Amino acid sequence: MKSFSFNGRQELLGRIENEHYDVIIIGGGITGTGIALDCITRGLKTLLVEMQDFAAGTSSRSTKLVHGGLRYLKQFEVGMVAEVGKEREVVYRNAPHVTHPEWMLLPIYRKGTFGKYSTSLGLKVYDFLAGVKRDERRKMLSREECLRKEPLLKKKDLLAAGYYVEYRTDDARLTIEVAKTAYTRGVDLLNYAKVESFEYDMNGKASGVYFKDVLSEKGYLVLGKKIINATGPWVEDVIGHDRKIEGKSLFHSKGVHIVIDGSKFPLRQAVYFDTPDDRMVFAIPRNGKTYVGTTDTEYHGDLVNPEITVEDKQYILKSIAFMFPELQIDMQDIESAWAGIRPLIRQEGKGPSEISRKDEIWTSETGLITIAGGKLTGYRKMAETVTDMICEQLKQEGKTCTKSITKNLKLSGGDFKNPEDYNQFIHERAQAVAAQSGISQRDATSILATYGTNTDSVTRYAGQVLQETNLPLAIKLTLHYAIEEEMALTPADYFIRRTGAVLFDIDWVNKWKYEVITYMAILMKWSIDETQMHIDELNQRIEEIL
């Protein structure tokens, strides 16, 4: 039986060389999965291959905001503000279980980057361009109102504050939900499948890909009419297997975030503030922690596991000390950190913070289509644009597509009539879910909040979970679901991208990691050597974020 699981993956690998796809997408981040969803819902037979886990690159390493791009207004990128602002609302409407309104405080200081009146006007223009709902439109706060919202702020020279809404998200889970939606619609998806070269037809056009299953090291050739390179920071590596595109290149910008326990940094209110070097930094409370970022520096190192330097951490700590001077936070207070690489389109003469986040589509002489740049918030619109282009090309070959429907397509777990129904759904169902599955009401609430309308799919495993480990039932349920219905293949997949726990609850990870690995080893029939390999990999990932 076909399933989005390890077994389903094996079934797909067994037949893949006999398939012929309309579209093959390389890259399983938010851009690639978004394109896959748009393609399949328009009638195109689609395959997606990802060399790591889904969302393992930039799509799990962002500031975790679906935001409207207020900073781009400052750079006069009016079109981008309008587009991503409207797309922000689309993401929220279609996936309210992974996208939550977050009021953001923008403090205004004497001689700061933002002035009182320019901020008021800017936020008003932002509301208009982004189509912000009436109850989420900007407010201007007095100095006293600002400090009531967040008493930890620097008080000297504070004049007032802007107050506006952004949307907090779990970027990796958003990507996974897009992938699951694409799968249920008919997309074939493979993680841990690395493209190593291309196949060409007699006219020199790219007509297929050779990829290696990273787990078995077996190679496969699969054919397709159109091939899309949506690999983010790796787009030039993939282009390197094809033909160089003259005049186009990427600028890799590294963004680092750090996580601090709420007892050390008891932030009440999300804050977006300017630093002494005229950059903007977010400080955001999340589940008893506060995370702060981001840096913006050119990067030339390892793209798979970007290095977090002492200088990166010091920069953020200095930013915290600048805006929250009463706090005494230093290196040992950092519980975890993550680094993501922004794949920006290189613009000569501009530094990392000045380069536009706008996306571009490049096409090589072999027909390989590359989508580069762009932002998490605008993923759906980027996907629609790319698929429009593909449909136009396929039309000339006699293949017709339907119109895009993703603007109003609910994502997996987000099947609510109105986004506002999400909170009521959690409140009304927590007691029943706890009683039916045998978990605590607190765990039931957590599962409902995370998985939304997929909660019944998670808790139905209550009678099927393995008994061989001492894991609490709630962990067994989410782990079993991740393996059977979210194609989690490694402990790192579960702890980093299916739960986010490595970043935001490292003590919980360390407490249960060996039991989780044992559970996965039994279910997936790992050998002793394979089990040890997964232990080593997870411990290495944990070491990298400390």
Side-chain angles (χ1 to χ4, degrees):
M1 181 179 174
K2 187 181 177 188
S3 62
F4 195 48
S5 65
F6 173 76
N7 290 328
R9 184 178 184 278
Q10 294 303 107
E11 181 273 331
L12 173 57
L13 287 171
R15 63 176 166 84
I16 198 164
E17 290 194 310
N18 296 320
E19 303 287 352
H20 196 291
Y21 295 92
D22 293 315
V23 181
I24 298 174
I25 299 158
I26 309 168
I30 192 66
T31 304
T33 56
I35 295 169
L37 180 57
D38 202 274
C39 284
I40 198 69
T41 53
R42 295 167 79 166
L44 301 176
K45 186 174 181 179
T46 305
L47 169 70
L48 181 147
V49 291
E50 160 60 47
M51 70 173 183
Q52 302 180 84
D53 184 28
F54 306 113
T58 306
S59 296
S60 60
R61 300 165 182 262
S62 72
T63 305
K64 306 188 187 301
L65 290 173
V66 176
H67 64 97
L70 179 63
R71 65 179 290 241
Y72 310 126
L73 191 61
K74 190 177 172 186
Q75 297 171 341
F76 301 104
E77 295 193 60
V78 174
M80 178 175 282
V81 173
E83 183 172 295
V84 298
K86 290 182 174 69
E87 283 300 307
R88 180 185 69 167
E89 174 65 19
V90 172
V91 178
Y92 173 53
R93 194 171 63 243
N94 291 334
H97 62 309
V98 288
T99 316
H100 312 289
E102 180 89 45
W103 280 93
M104 195 73 60
L105 195 64
L106 182 65
I108 300 165
Y109 287 88
R110 187 174 287 109
K111 296 183 180 178
T113 302
F114 294 92
K116 237 168 128 173
Y117 300 108
S118 62
T119 299
S120 177
L121 178 62
L123 287 173
K124 198 168 185 177
V125 172
Y126 176 68
D127 283 348
F128 172 74
L129 290 172
V132 175
K133 294 179 292 190
R134 184 179 296 276
D135 62 345
E136 293 183 356
R137 289 178 187 166
R138 71 95 175 92
K139 303 169 186 175
M140 294 303 296
L141 306 180
S142 67
R143 180 182 190 277
E144 292 70 28
E145 289 172 321
C146 175
L147 290 172
R148 278 199 293 273
K149 294 284 184 189
E150 186 43 72
L152 293 173
L153 284 170
K154 179 176 66 173
K155 296 168 181 65
K156 185 181 178 183
D157 294 328
L158 177 63
L159 301 174
Y163 200 47
Y164 69 104
V165 170
E166 294 286 21
Y167 288 80
R168 178 170 46 85
T169 192
D170 183 324
D171 48 5
R173 283 220 59 85
L174 175 61
T175 304
I176 296 298
E177 300 295 22
V178 175
K180 285 157 63 181
T181 311
Y183 170 80
T184 59
R185 291 279 175 157
V187 174
D188 286 334
L189 301 100
L190 288 169
N191 50 0
Y192 298 99
K194 185 177 182 181
V195 169
E196 297 191 322
S197 62
F198 292 96
E199 174 81 348
Y200 299 92
D201 64 20
M202 58 195 308
N203 297 314
K205 297 297 182 182
S207 60
V209 298
Y210 292 93
F211 71 85
K212 180 177 75 174
D213 175 12
V214 175
L215 304 183
S216 69
E217 298 194 339
K218 183 178 177 182
Y220 298 84
L221 167 64
V222 59
L223 301 178
K225 296 175 186 174
K226 299 295 173 185
I227 302 174
I228 302 170
N229 172 16
T231 54
W234 291 271
V235 297
E236 289 181 305
D237 291 350
V238 172
I239 290 170
H241 295 309
D242 182 53
R243 306 280 193 279
K244 183 174 174 57
I245 300 173
E246 296 299 331
K248 299 289 186 181
S249 63
L250 283 190
F251 183 105
H252 288 152
S253 169
K254 183 176 70 169
V256 174
H257 297 78
I258 64 173
V259 179
I260 300 158
D261 191 74
S263 62
K264 288 284 187 179
F265 194 164
L267 191 70
R268 295 184 190 175
Q269 162 72 59
V271 181
Y272 187 33
F273 61 95
D274 54 348
T275 61
D277 59 344
D278 292 331
R279 287 199 65 257
M280 297 300 297
V281 170
F282 288 99
I284 301 173
R286 172 173 165 164
N287 300 336
K289 310 290 181 183
T290 295
Y291 71 95
V292 187
T294 177
T295 60
D296 203 351
T297 53
E298 186 168 5
Y299 183 70
H300 298 285
D302 180 12
L303 297 178
V304 173
N305 298 300
E307 180 188 10
I308 302 170
T309 66
V310 171
E311 290 75 21
D312 293 327
K313 293 179 180 179
Q314 286 175 338
Y315 176 87
I316 299 174
L317 289 174
K318 285 177 183 176
S319 298
I320 293 170
F322 172 74
M323 187 50 60
F324 305 96
E326 296 173 14
L327 297 175
Q328 301 295 318
I329 294 174
D330 50 31
M331 283 287 186
Q332 66 251 33
D333 295 319
I334 299 175
E335 288 194 353
S336 63
W338 71 87
I341 305 302
R342 307 177 191 91
L344 308 178
I345 311 298
R346 186 175 293 277
Q347 294 173 279
E348 294 306 323
K350 289 193 175 184
S353 296
E354 301 170 296
I355 294 177
S356 171
R357 269 55 175 170
K358 188 170 174 52
D359 55 279
E360 284 189 18
I361 299 171
W362 308 341
T363 305
S364 78
E365 62 187 36
T366 68
L368 174 67
I369 297 167
T370 294
I371 175 77
K375 292 188 60 57
L376 176 76
T377 309
Y379 86 89
R380 190 206 65 84
K381 193 66 180 174
M382 284 192 290
E384 184 181 321
T385 301
V386 172
T387 311
D388 282 345
M389 178 179 170
I390 293 167
C391 287
E392 193 59 37
Q393 293 177 3
L394 289 174
K395 188 177 179 182
Q396 298 170 17
E397 301 173 22
K399 175 79 177 180
T400 57
C401 304
T402 57
K403 289 186 177 180
S404 178
I405 64 168
T406 55
K407 186 174 181 179
N408 298 303
L409 181 63
K410 304 293 185 184
L411 295 183
S412 177
D415 194 15
F416 299 94
K417 185 176 180 181
N418 299 300
E420 295 77 15
D421 296 341
Y422 164 75
N423 289 326
Q424 186 178 354
F425 167 82
I426 296 170
H427 177 73
E428 289 180 349
R429 296 216 46 213
Q431 193 170 349
V433 167
Q436 289 165 7
S437 59
I439 59 178
S440 70
Q441 192 162 331
R442 180 179 177 181
D443 286 335
T445 299
S446 176
I447 288 174
L448 283 159
T450 303
Y451 298 93
T453 55
N454 281 331
T455 293
D456 288 345
S457 296
V458 178
T459 57
R460 76 181 180 196
Y461 287 109
Q464 302 176 41
V465 295
L466 305 181
Q467 302 304 315
E468 287 89 337
T469 69
N470 296 320
L471 282 171
L473 178 56
I475 299 178
K476 286 183 179 180
L477 290 176
T478 60
L479 176 58
H480 208 96
Y481 178 77
I483 295 167
E484 293 292 347
E485 300 191 38
E486 295 187 331
M487 208 178 275
L489 302 182
T490 75
D493 295 347
Y494 176 71
F495 280 122
I496 299 174
R497 289 167 291 275
R498 304 305 184 277
T499 65
V502 163
L503 298 180
F504 293 102
D505 200 350
I506 191 62
D507 291 339
W508 181 84
V509 174
N510 284 324
K511 181 177 180 179
W512 296 113
K513 62 184 179 181
Y514 293 115
E515 295 283 5
V516 164
I517 291 169
T518 300
Y519 193 100
M520 296 185 81
I522 295 168
L523 197 64
M524 300 168 77
K525 299 181 173 59
W526 291 340
S527 67
I528 293 173
D529 287 346
E530 286 173 321
T531 302
Q532 187 60 52
M533 177 191 73
H534 288 301
I535 290 171
D536 293 343
E537 185 210 7
L538 179 62
N539 285 334
Q540 186 179 342
R541 296 290 87 81
I542 291 171
E543 213 173 289
E544 287 164 0
I545 62 98
L546 296 179

